Amino acid sequence: MSLGRKNPFWRLTSWILALVLILPVLVMLIASIGSSDSLFSHLWQTVLPTYIENTIKLSAYVVMLALLFGIPSAALVTQTNIKGRQWLRWMLLLPLAMPAYLVAYLYTDLFDYAGPVQRFLRESFGWQSANDYWFFDIRTLFGASVVLALVLFPYVYMLTRTALEQQDRNLIRAGRTLGLSASKAFIQIGLPLARPAIMVSATLVMMETIADFATVQYFAVNTLTTAIYDTWLGYGDMAAANALASVLMLFVLFVVVAEQKSRAKQRHQSSRPSKETELICLSASQQALALSFCWFLVIAGFLLPITLLISMAIKYSDIGQFKALTDIGMNTLYVSGIAATISVCLAVFLSLYKRMHEDKSAKWPLQLSGFGYAVPGTVLAMALMATFAPIDHWLNDIAVLLSLEKPGLILSGTVFAIIFAFVVRFAAIANGTVSAGIDKIPASLDFAPATLGAGLLATIKRVHLPLLKPSILVAWLLVFVESMKELPAVLLLRPFNFETLSTFIYQLISDEQLEQGAIGAIFIVLFGLLPIIWLNKDKH
Amino acid sequence: MLKKIIGLSALLMLSASTLASEVNVYSYRQPFLVEPLFQKFTDKTGIKVNVVFAKKGMAERLAREGEHSPADVLLTTDISRLIELHEKSLLQPVTSSEITDAIPSQYRAADDTWFALTTRVRNIYSAKRLGDVELSYEDLADPKYKGRLCTRSGKHPYNVALVASMVATNGEQATLTWLEGVKKNLARKPQGNDRGQVQAIHQNLCDLAIGNSYYFGKMLTNEEQKVWADGVNINFPNQANRGAHVNISGMGMAKYAPHTKEAKALMEFLVSAPAQQLYAETNMEYPVRAGVEKSALVASWGEFKADTLSLETIAKHRKTALKLLDQAKFDL
């Protein structure tokens, strides 16, 4: 049974959209053919094994830490009477507004041997050199993992929290009537039901970690992404770089498929969230523990870095930047907002297509369109150039033939390319979030309206979309914030005189003078906060 | 009222027409440095300058854009990038006696496709506590400095160019042995940036560091960083033999530049004495134009002997340098 079976338009459009989104990835795969074997064997004999080991370790650590941070914090604010939960509920989202490369820069600076913390310790205790005391080395794989997890855990927190809040309380209540304590009912019933959302978030965290370059660079940790950059920019071998990027993507593909398989057999649960949640009462000591845990996350992931930025801004920045920054901020809002809206529309379209069509191939457009997430921004930008430049040339040639004015590089040389890059790169976020939301809508709701004579469109409009609203909002927010923070793709694709907040800050960081960009960095965080605040204002 | 409107619109049209000509720049150089120069150029000529600041992939972008590329002038921070553009046939020769008269022949391409704008030395910073030392790059591998050396990633273009110059001078095997020796002397895994190394010397973590000359000036004029710089001496290596390794920042004209006339004007402006003076003052680099004064601070570090090895040769050994860095597992 499937409602949309007789809708060839839907099928065709879904496949076309998915193909358009995956086109750059395909171009990248094709470009990897013919890469030099000698370079690979050189890399394999020298540095590649360490890079691979680092990549696997880093993604494992970051995912574990992000789950360790995200799940308990989501559980605490939704299930317990933790003090100030109305505050913590949204404050735990704040680290999301922090670009990872910025936090990495601030923390390596802070905890380095020459940084203020160790300097203070040496001065206070009269230590002369590194041999006189022990202090953790921030520029290690583990240091990088902690910092990445601190800014990425909100994915886990946000999706888990949304899942828990939308849960059918009757299931928990049924558990309670069968004698389970509130906390046991949560652990045995509530948490397993949130698994799809948790898995999606873990996959997102992993993909984000794998595609990262700037952050690990500050930590002097070399990963496969380092190898991609080396082969491309150092050795000038684009084909080999594409081949490495393809390997990276296959690795991610493997994880994504495994994740899909692991929850394929889950049934749809009904979604009847109720306002009156029975909260687990924490004892005084539990309360203290829970509070320090949650506040640690808020402070380490947001308050400390923003304080550092504000103090820099007060010390160095000149107010003259303000006007320019507002313009740059508007640019950023503009491209990120459009990208988020397109991504969410695509995600809804493709997720509903998958749900309404029973044939096995129906899930493919949704999955295919998410592959871009694992591709590092720079590689994706190169792939986009390779995809659109020929089309642009073709358009110009036609214009010349028709004796029209040449349009120039209207696809590869304008903000179109940037928005397209955002959509390709972050479609996975929107897809994952929206489809996890759809999975929670009971199958029966697809057919009930039909018995009342409602058509497909009416069903979607009046049943699915309203039920999906929370997931859609979350998806929009995530794509928006991620687009705003995205750096390498913009750096490469931007047209003349076009800056976003991230490129603005990066220019200054790369010239070793973040102090002067501190106001810009605060702007990026503030713009990132807007949707977070907006998303939370009418809840509870 | 009507008069006012007519006057105003005439003024608007006038300003529009004076700004009608423009020139498009792809720049590896940072905005704070080039924007004041562009502003001066626009004030002088009325030609508007549009910029894209890039770090990576400029050559690919240009190659993809091909004959439809809007780019006119390319600015880079390192010789390898210029050679890369040249090798991919993305540049066109510029015939201008104004430029060739200003720039010594070792600092421009034989076929006039690229030109240096400034030079920068790869110095060795030493802790003041070491006293006056005579150093060569080769000394960095001397076991007596075990655990006393700091540097940024070996793969950074500035270090790659230095290693490439070592390959050109001493050969591949000797350079590998040298790299392994240097690695053994490191106080910590290569990390951070050039300033960070000087900060580490100030904090007693190491005694020697590799860094570009202009950072010294930048730190000395920065309130917070001055204390770091005060703790070190800036040394020009290999003064007893071949001289210190020098890299350049430079420019070239894009092969398909749509605004060749304006592009040439901009390039001529960038080598003019006032622009070179501004470069020298703002970024504390060495101007390539003869007769332009260094900044007073830079001049205070004294005269030095520069390695005369041709920039093309350095660029040619770049890939070998990278392979050796991999082999020595320098960054790991």
Side-chain angles (χ1 to χ4, degrees):
Chain A
M1 280 191 300
S2 62
L3 283 171
R5 183 179 285 171
K6 293 193 184 102
N7 200 330
F9 167 77
W10 201 351
R11 169 181 309 213
L12 190 68
T13 320
S14 298
W15 277 96
I16 290 176
L17 288 173
L19 286 177
V20 168
L21 284 191
I22 205 173
L23 194 61
V25 177
L26 291 177
V27 168
M28 184 187 88
L29 285 172
I30 293 166
S32 69
I33 299 168
S35 50
S36 111
D37 289 339
S38 66
L39 181 56
F40 275 122
S41 66
H42 159 74
L43 288 174
W44 185 249
Q45 281 159 19
T46 52
V47 285
L48 206 52
T50 316
Y51 288 177
I52 293 173
E53 188 192 327
N54 283 348
T55 306
I56 294 172
K57 275 191 190 160
L58 184 78
S59 35
Y61 289 165
V62 175
V63 169
M64 274 188 319
L65 285 169
L67 292 176
L68 207 66
F69 293 162
I71 300 175
S73 54
L76 285 169
V77 295
T78 55
Q79 310 293 320
T80 73
N81 65 339
I82 187 170
K83 282 202 185 83
R85 58 193 284 261
Q86 294 314 328
W87 286 90
L88 281 171
R89 197 176 166 280
W90 66 270
M91 287 187 91
L92 281 162
L93 285 173
L94 295 180
L96 203 61
M98 281 280 170
Y101 55 84
L102 195 61
V103 180
Y105 182 91
L106 293 166
Y107 275 4
T108 46
D109 213 41
L110 190 64
F111 293 115
D112 229 357
Y113 180 82
V117 173
Q118 290 201 53
R119 227 163 47 213
F120 173 78
L121 289 175
R122 280 197 296 276
E123 276 158 24
S124 317
F125 294 97
W127 295 323
Q128 292 305 314
S129 76
N131 299 326
D132 295 350
Y133 64 103
W134 180 89
F135 195 84
F136 66 87
D137 184 1
I138 179 106
R139 294 198 204 236
T140 54
L141 194 110
F142 193 70
S145 308
V146 172
V147 167
L148 275 170
L150 273 177
V151 288
L152 292 177
F153 89 87
Y155 279 128
V156 181
Y157 165 76
M158 191 170 189
L159 296 187
T160 312
R161 193 195 78 185
T162 314
L164 291 176
E165 280 173 349
Q166 286 177 28
Q167 242 163 32
D168 185 353
R169 305 302 308 182
N170 288 337
L171 292 170
I172 304 263
R173 285 196 198 104
R176 298 293 308 272
T177 59
L178 292 172
L180 290 178
S181 68
S183 47
K184 278 215 169 112
F186 167 70
I187 289 167
Q188 291 182 11
I189 302 170
L191 206 53
L193 285 174
R195 210 181 99 197
I198 294 173
M199 293 298 279
V200 167
S201 64
T203 324
L204 294 179
V205 168
M206 196 194 71
M207 292 204 257
E208 190 72 39
T209 307
I210 284 181
D212 175 83
F213 177 67
T215 315
V216 288
Q217 201 189 19
Y218 288 121
F219 289 93
V221 174
N222 294 284
T223 63
L224 265 176
T225 327
T226 323
I228 296 177
Y229 276 76
D230 279 0
T231 43
W232 169 33
L233 298 162
Y235 293 108
D237 192 336
M238 191 74 191
N242 277 317
L244 281 170
S246 307
V247 172
L248 202 67
M249 222 181 51
L250 287 178
F251 176 62
V252 171
L253 177 67
F254 170 76
V255 177
V256 170
V257 170
E259 182 262 329
Q260 297 272 346
K261 278 226 149 64
S262 81
R263 61 183 169 99
K265 291 201 181 99
Q266 287 208 332
R267 291 229 202 95
H268 303 314
Q269 56 156 316
S270 68
S271 174
R272 267 168 289 173
S274 72
K275 294 272 178 198
E276 65 280 4
T277 315
E278 293 144 69
L279 297 176
I280 299 166
C281 279
L282 299 176
S283 67
S285 57
Q286 285 170 329
Q287 191 70 255
L289 201 65
L291 279 173
S292 33
F293 175 72
C294 290
W295 281 104
F296 160 74
L297 293 176
V298 176
I299 291 169
F302 184 81
L303 294 179
L304 181 57
I306 195 82
T307 311
L308 291 171
L309 285 175
I310 292 173
S311 69
M312 276 183 194
I314 292 170
K315 221 163 151 188
Y316 292 99
S317 292
D318 62 297
I319 211 73
Q321 282 184 337
F322 214 74
K323 168 78 179 68
L325 277 171
T326 321
D327 291 345
I328 297 173
M330 291 315 287
N331 279 346
T332 317
L333 287 182
Y334 170 71
V335 286
S336 312
I338 294 179
T341 310
I342 295 175
S343 305
V344 166
C345 291
L346 284 173
V348 171
F349 191 87
L350 296 177
S351 310
L352 281 173
Y353 169 73
K354 177 190 163 202
R355 181 181 177 94
M356 298 299 191
H357 291 71
E358 228 174 29
D359 43 323
K360 277 205 164 147
S361 65
K363 65 176 185 204
W364 283 108
L366 185 70
Q367 296 211 319
L368 288 176
S369 62
F371 280 2
Y373 197 30
V375 183
T378 312
V379 178
L380 179 66
M382 294 320 304
L384 277 183
M385 292 291 296
T387 313
F388 287 134
I391 304 178
D392 274 333
H393 285 228
W394 186 67
L395 288 174
N396 279 286
D397 293 345
I398 292 183
V400 172
L401 271 181
L402 300 173
S403 0
L404 297 168
E405 200 184 331
K406 285 203 286 183
L409 304 167
I410 46 171
L411 299 180
S412 60
T414 60
V415 287
F416 170 85
I418 295 178
I419 293 171
F420 195 90
F422 287 167
V423 175
V424 171
R425 187 141 156 59
F426 302 123
I429 301 185
N431 290 349
T433 315
V434 171
S435 68
I438 276 193
D439 284 352
K440 286 211 296 318
I441 299 176
S444 57
L445 283 187
D446 294 357
F447 305 107
T451 62
L452 299 171
L456 181 63
L457 277 178
T459 309
I460 290 171
K461 198 174 144 204
R462 292 170 62 183
V463 178
H464 292 101
L465 289 183
L467 285 174
L468 272 180
K469 206 176 137 199
S471 307
I472 288 178
L473 280 174
V474 170
W476 193 91
L477 165 70
L478 285 174
V479 178
F480 177 85
V481 175
E482 281 308 319
S483 303
M484 217 177 54
K485 295 186 294 185
E486 158 63 47
L487 174 71
V490 192
L491 216 46
L492 226 76
L493 293 171
R494 61 198 158 142
F496 287 106
N497 312 326
F498 184 88
E499 294 266 359
T500 63
L501 289 169
S502 57
T503 61
F504 174 81
I505 300 168
Y506 181 75
Q507 304 275 9
L508 291 162
I509 289 188
S510 66
D511 192 49
E512 307 172 13
Q513 43 188 0
L514 175 65
E515 306 87 52
Q516 294 175 26
I519 285 192
I522 293 169
F523 259 64
I524 213 173
V525 175
L526 288 182
F527 277 113
L529 289 181
L530 289 178
I532 293 178
I533 293 165
W534 165 69
L535 193 69
N536 277 278
K537 78 175 191 300
D538 54 9
K539 285 256 186 144
H540 293 256
Chain B
M1 183 66 190
L2 192 66
K3 257 188 189 168
K4 252 190 191 168
I5 292 174
I6 292 171
L8 200 66
S9 37
L11 196 71
L12 278 172
M13 277 161 71
L14 189 71
S15 61
S17 70
T18 51
L19 282 176
S21 56
E22 54 183 5
V23 56
N24 298 328
V25 179
Y26 283 3
S27 171
Y28 278 104
R29 304 229 64 179
Q30 302 95 340
F32 83 94
L33 174 66
V34 288
E35 266 163 2
L37 287 162
F38 293 159
Q39 191 54 53
K40 279 236 160 72
F41 174 70
T42 306
D43 291 346
K44 199 178 146 208
T45 60
I47 300 170
K48 186 180 173 221
V49 185
N50 302 309
V51 206
V52 175
F53 294 100
K55 281 268 166 215
K56 298 174 177 110
M58 190 206 284
E60 268 81 11
R61 178 167 175 176
L62 212 54
R64 291 279 179 213
E65 290 173 344
E67 58 187 304
H68 300 296
S69 172
D72 295 307
V73 176
L74 314 160
L75 296 178
T76 79
T77 53
D78 152 270
I79 178 61
S80 311
R81 301 266 186 238
L82 281 173
I83 301 285
E84 181 189 17
L85 292 168
H86 184 252
E87 278 173 355
K88 292 188 171 165
S89 302
L90 296 167
L91 300 175
Q92 61 172 300
V94 177
T95 324
S96 160
S97 55
E98 263 186 66
I99 299 178
T100 42
D101 289 352
I103 305 181
S105 62
Q106 76 263 35
Y107 292 129
R108 54 184 154 89
D111 60 357
D112 290 332
T113 46
W114 57 260
F115 309 90
L117 285 169
T118 57
T119 61
R120 51 262 298 273
V121 186
R122 201 81 185 129
N123 294 98
I124 298 176
Y125 292 101
S126 63
K128 280 218 170 115
R129 51 185 173 267
L130 291 188
D132 284 335
V133 277
E134 280 277 319
L135 286 162
S136 68
Y137 298 113
E138 284 79 0
D139 291 338
L140 295 176
D142 190 326
K144 76 174 169 187
Y145 294 119
K146 190 167 169 52
R148 305 309 294 160
L149 174 68
C150 284
T151 177
R152 77 192 308 164
S153 160
K155 296 275 182 73
H156 191 277
Y158 300 155
N159 279 345
V160 175
L162 172 62
V163 177
S165 81
M166 299 292 286
V167 175
T169 315
N170 301 331
E172 230 176 291
Q173 192 49 51
T175 306
L176 180 61
T177 315
W178 174 71
L179 276 174
E180 284 163 349
V182 174
K183 186 177 154 68
K184 278 194 196 124
N185 284 351
L186 291 177
R188 57 177 185 188
K189 192 163 71 163
Q191 58 186 255
N193 48 46
D194 279 4
R195 286 183 222 225
Q197 315 311 324
V198 175
Q199 189 189 17
I201 294 183
H202 168 67
Q203 286 296 319
N204 217 358
L205 187 67
C206 34
D207 286 332
L208 298 176
I210 312 171
N212 275 6
S213 51
Y214 50 84
Y215 288 116
F216 195 50
K218 297 244 163 180
M219 286 185 287
L220 284 170
T221 49
N222 179 311
E223 204 181 315
E224 190 194 356
Q225 298 171 358
K226 191 171 181 302
V227 281
W228 314 344
D230 283 341
V232 301
N233 288 325
I234 183 168
N235 303 283
F236 294 91
N238 296 72
Q239 292 304 295
N241 42 60
R242 66 181 183 275
H245 166 66
V246 167
N247 206 329
I248 57 163
S249 71
M251 64 177 176
M253 192 189 289
K255 187 175 183 187
Y256 298 105
H259 310 100
T260 44
K261 206 177 103 227
E262 290 83 357
K264 193 174 160 189
L266 177 62
M267 292 171 79
E268 283 169 350
F269 171 77
L270 290 177
V271 297
S272 70
Q276 286 278 303
Q277 192 68 58
L278 199 60
Y279 257 122
E281 294 290 341
T282 325
N283 210 27
M284 317 230 178
E285 290 173 78
Y286 293 88
V288 287
R289 190 188 177 105
V292 174
E293 291 291 314
K294 293 168 227 169
S295 87
L297 187 60
V298 173
S300 73
W301 307 333
E303 294 298 319
F304 69 96
K305 180 174 158 192
D307 192 348
T308 52
L309 186 67
S310 92
L311 294 165
E312 268 113 344
T313 312
I314 292 175
K316 207 171 71 200
H317 287 99
R318 217 174 144 265
K319 282 183 192 170
T320 314
L322 277 169
K323 287 205 167 156
L324 296 177
L325 283 159
D326 277 342
Q327 268 172 30
K329 299 192 180 179
F330 193 80
D331 282 349
L332 296 179

